Amino acid sequence: MQKRRMVSLGTLRRFLAATMCSISIISLFLLHVHVSPSPTDQKLNDKIPTHHDPQRWTRELTPPHLSKALIAPPKLKDSIGNSDYEKLWKPPSNRGFLPCTKPSSNYTAPVESRGYLSVHTNGGLNQMRTGICDMVAIARMINATLVIPDLDKKSFWHDTSNFSDIFDEEWFISSLAKDVKIIKKLPKSRAKPTRIVKQFRSWSGKKYYENEIAAMWDHYRVIRASKSDSRLANNNLPSDIQKLRCRACFEALRFSPRIEQMGKMLVERMRSSGPYIALHLRYEKDMLAFSGCTHDLSTAEAEELRTIRKGTAYWKRKDIDPREERSKGFCPLTPKEVGIFLTALGYPPKTPIYIAAGDIYGGESHMTELQSRYPLLLSKEKLASIEELEPFTSHASQMAALDYIVSVESDVFVHSYPGNMARAVEGHRRFLRRGRTISPDRKALVRLFDKLANGTMVEGKTLSNKVIELHKNRLGLFKKRKGPISGTKGADRFRSEESFYANPSPDCFCRTEKNHLI
């Protein structure tokens, strides 16, 4: 009996040992077996375009929550030294000045309105923004009731959005109630009779509006401004009018709640990757065609842009020498040049960069070198799903508003050309005391880029030192707004001034200590 038990126990031990060995062998085998993709994985793979797609670099290839997991924040050890890395993100000092838009003790509530100011805005989002703020100030000066402006729907952007689609209409009206009376629509009794359509003179001061424009109330009850851009001077306006412009632009003119919510989400997704740069890359077809800049483009691309310029009736300049324009610093930096520039400033390859732009001309073919230097090139199309962006995609101004929000909130903002958006973002960041705003010295940079191209200079410490030195005072420093360039006259004199909305100091800032801006 005892012998039989010992035989059974030995058999059981041999069986268990054989079973465990089999399991181990099967496990090792499975580690080397190719697993077929699941239906979910196959759908994800199907989103990757296999045909030539010029804007492929902007497309969302993975869901946002997966994308974020793949992006690691830049590490301090990846840079030359911790202190050097920290300096790249350090905002310029505000020198103790804070936003100060409260009106003076002499400022009164709006007096009885003499009529209605109706406005047709013109241009893209940022041109319309500044124009609307000017019209608030103008309405105050001529004792008018401001009608919510009609947005430009016929220009290049062909956006059908109304004011309330882009901006928080109720907030705009209520927050300016102590400055100007604002209504949503003209009363039916005033929709047609006694009205005049007038193009206000560009860069005009208070006397022009109080005398020439206000005199029209003697004959009309409705004055319609046919354009809104640059209708008010940058300088030499009463302090309370300048402060009103800041209240209108930086406090009252909020985006609509749904745009604000979407913009906030994009900012949060960028922040998950660490400090980021927002790059306003002005390398779209219309910009290049208008400016005549063709550096690094093919002969066919240059000819296409020339044809567009020739065929656009309201563009006055037709014959443009692209080399001369570039040598004078009048051309936007190319994506390749931006990559060289950021590298020379010291930003490491792992830096997340948000591209605030429309479709880049030539798409992937012109983004390759920038992408190779900075693989984490992101955009709203990459950060959000198709479904999340769907309400905005057919409205150019609403899409631009999303770029605006991410740019204003960025740790560093860089533009390749100082257009309307660059100026608007720069001014808003100054007012909110955000991080660095870097304005490339394009004229000086072109000379350095050409030396790299002809082999008389190589990338490295020498180039980096030159670029850093060139831009030590181009970081969005807090300083007094520049006046006109000496010797300029007429319209050129006003064009040479620094825009009020790009730099609202000293008008909209103050501090208790006795000090003056330099």
Side-chain angles (χ1 to χ4, degrees):
M1 190 71 171
Q2 183 70 23
K3 185 177 181 180
R4 193 176 298 169
R5 285 181 180 175
M6 290 179 68
V7 171
S8 299
L9 185 58
T11 303
L12 179 60
R13 287 174 177 170
R14 286 193 294 274
F15 174 77
L16 290 173
T19 301
M20 291 176 67
C21 184
S22 299
I23 291 172
S24 299
I25 292 171
I26 291 171
S27 299
L28 288 170
F29 176 75
L30 287 174
L31 286 173
H32 296 280
V33 174
H34 173 72
V35 180
S36 299
S38 67
T40 302
D41 293 334
Q42 188 62 49
K43 288 181 181 178
L44 188 60
N45 291 337
D46 290 343
K47 292 185 72 176
I48 301 177
T50 55
H51 60 284
H52 177 65
D53 181 359
Q55 299 299 327
R56 183 170 63 186
W57 72 274
T58 69
R59 310 303 181 212
E60 180 217 354
L61 301 184
T62 55
H65 67 282
L66 292 179
S67 297
K68 290 192 295 179
L70 296 174
I71 302 172
K75 297 178 181 179
L76 292 179
K77 67 180 182 180
D78 293 330
S79 58
I80 298 172
N82 289 10
S83 61
D84 290 337
Y85 182 83
E86 290 169 359
K87 286 178 183 177
L88 294 173
W89 306 101
K90 185 178 180 181
S93 171
N94 64 3
R95 298 169 58 195
F97 285 86
L98 300 174
C100 182
T101 62
K102 186 178 179 180
S104 69
S105 58
N106 296 325
Y107 194 79
T108 61
V111 298
E112 184 178 353
S113 172
R114 297 186 64 188
Y116 300 92
L117 175 60
S118 171
V119 180
H120 172 73
T121 60
N122 59 296
L125 172 70
N126 295 290
Q127 192 169 326
M128 290 192 291
R129 273 180 62 92
T130 55
I132 290 167
C133 298
D134 277 357
M135 290 298 155
V136 169
I138 291 168
R140 169 81 188 191
M141 288 189 288
I142 64 175
N143 296 337
T145 294
L146 178 66
V147 183
I148 287 291
D150 297 324
L151 302 189
D152 191 338
K153 297 180 174 65
K154 295 181 180 180
S155 292
F156 176 84
W157 297 267
H158 298 291
D159 191 333
T160 59
S161 299
N162 293 316
F163 188 96
S164 59
D165 295 321
I166 299 178
F167 303 110
D168 189 333
E169 190 173 70
E170 298 298 334
W171 171 257
F172 181 71
I173 294 172
S174 63
S175 62
L176 293 172
K178 294 181 179 180
D179 302 293
V180 178
K181 183 179 179 182
I182 304 174
I183 59 175
K184 294 181 181 181
K185 293 182 180 179
L186 270 175
K188 291 183 179 179
S189 61
R190 299 295 180 189
K192 290 184 180 180
T194 62
R195 62 182 294 174
I196 183 174
V197 178
K198 174 75 172 177
Q199 181 170 317
F200 298 158
R201 193 173 67 201
S202 299
W203 297 296
S204 295
K206 187 181 180 185
K207 288 185 178 180
Y208 167 78
Y209 286 103
E210 287 185 334
N211 297 333
E212 188 171 331
I213 301 302
M216 293 180 180
W217 295 134
D218 295 337
H219 306 284
Y220 305 99
R221 290 290 290 161
V222 179
I223 299 174
R224 181 168 178 80
S226 60
K227 285 188 175 183
S228 62
D229 64 318
S230 303
R231 301 300 114 181
L232 199 54
N234 289 306
N235 302 303
N236 302 317
L237 288 170
S239 175
D240 278 331
I241 293 299
Q242 298 289 57
K243 289 181 183 297
L244 173 57
R245 294 169 87 180
C246 282
R247 289 199 297 278
C249 191
F250 306 127
E251 297 172 4
L253 201 58
R254 290 180 181 174
F255 290 117
S256 66
R258 65 191 189 92
I259 290 177
E260 288 281 355
Q261 182 179 5
M262 186 64 185
K264 181 180 179 181
M265 185 190 75
L266 294 175
V267 170
E268 288 174 349
R269 290 179 180 176
M270 284 301 301
R271 287 251 179 268
S272 69
S273 307
Y276 71 92
I277 293 174
L279 170 61
H280 184 43
L281 193 58
R282 288 297 274 125
Y283 208 71
E284 299 113 339
K285 182 184 289 186
D286 65 306
M287 177 63 197
L288 296 175
F290 173 77
S291 64
C293 297
T294 59
H295 181 69
D296 269 357
L297 297 181
S298 67
T299 302
E301 288 172 328
E303 180 59 27
E304 179 186 24
L305 297 176
R306 189 189 70 82
T307 302
I308 293 172
R309 186 169 64 256
K310 291 281 188 181
T312 306
Y314 53 88
W315 288 353
K316 296 179 181 179
R317 297 179 69 208
K318 302 297 182 183
D319 297 314
I320 299 175
D321 183 340
R323 290 184 180 181
E324 183 180 350
E325 293 295 295
R326 182 170 177 270
S327 68
K328 292 179 178 178
F330 294 160
C331 288
L333 299 181
T334 69
K336 175 183 176 180
E337 291 170 341
V338 170
I340 297 172
F341 175 59
L342 293 177
T343 301
L345 286 175
Y347 290 97
K350 286 189 177 181
T351 302
I353 298 178
Y354 180 89
I355 303 295
D359 285 347
I360 301 301
Y361 186 57
E364 191 175 8
S365 64
H366 293 305
M367 292 294 289
T368 302
E369 295 203 43
L370 177 58
Q371 181 102 53
S372 67
R373 289 175 182 268
Y374 295 96
L376 297 182
L377 289 187
L378 302 168
S379 63
K380 50 189 175 294
E381 291 84 0
K382 279 189 175 181
L383 292 167
S385 67
I386 294 172
E387 292 75 19
E388 288 171 324
L389 277 181
E390 193 276 332
F392 311 97
T393 49
S394 59
H395 302 284
S397 291
Q398 295 183 40
M399 292 287 272
L402 297 177
D403 283 344
Y404 184 91
I405 292 171
V406 182
S407 297
V408 167
E409 295 297 325
S410 64
D411 299 279
V412 172
F413 176 70
V414 182
H415 62 76
S416 63
Y417 188 84
N420 290 317
M421 178 171 173
R423 287 192 291 267
V425 170
E426 181 179 7
H428 207 150
R429 286 169 64 81
R430 271 199 172 103
F431 184 80
L432 296 175
R433 292 166 292 146
R434 289 296 185 265
R436 292 188 172 194
T437 298
I438 303 175
S439 303
D441 185 339
R442 298 184 310 285
K443 185 175 180 179
L445 286 173
V446 161
R447 298 193 186 104
L448 296 177
F449 295 148
D450 287 345
K451 287 182 179 180
L452 291 176
N454 63 31
T456 57
M457 179 180 281
V458 296
E459 289 192 61
K461 190 173 182 180
T462 299
L463 175 65
S464 181
N465 289 340
K466 286 182 178 293
V467 171
I468 292 171
E469 180 64 24
L470 280 170
H471 293 85
K472 65 181 182 181
N473 293 320
R474 302 176 71 92
L475 305 175
L477 301 174
F478 192 85
K479 57 185 179 181
K480 184 178 180 180
R481 185 172 58 258
K482 293 179 182 177
I485 294 176
S486 178
T488 54
K489 297 180 180 180
D492 289 337
R493 179 175 176 81
F494 293 112
R495 289 192 184 97
S496 71
E497 294 178 332
E498 187 174 12
S499 165
F500 174 83
Y501 293 105
N503 185 9
S505 59
D507 310 87
C508 298
F509 296 87
C510 59
R511 67 177 178 182
T512 55
E513 301 174 26
K514 291 183 179 180
N515 209 327
H516 298 283
L517 287 169
I518 297 174

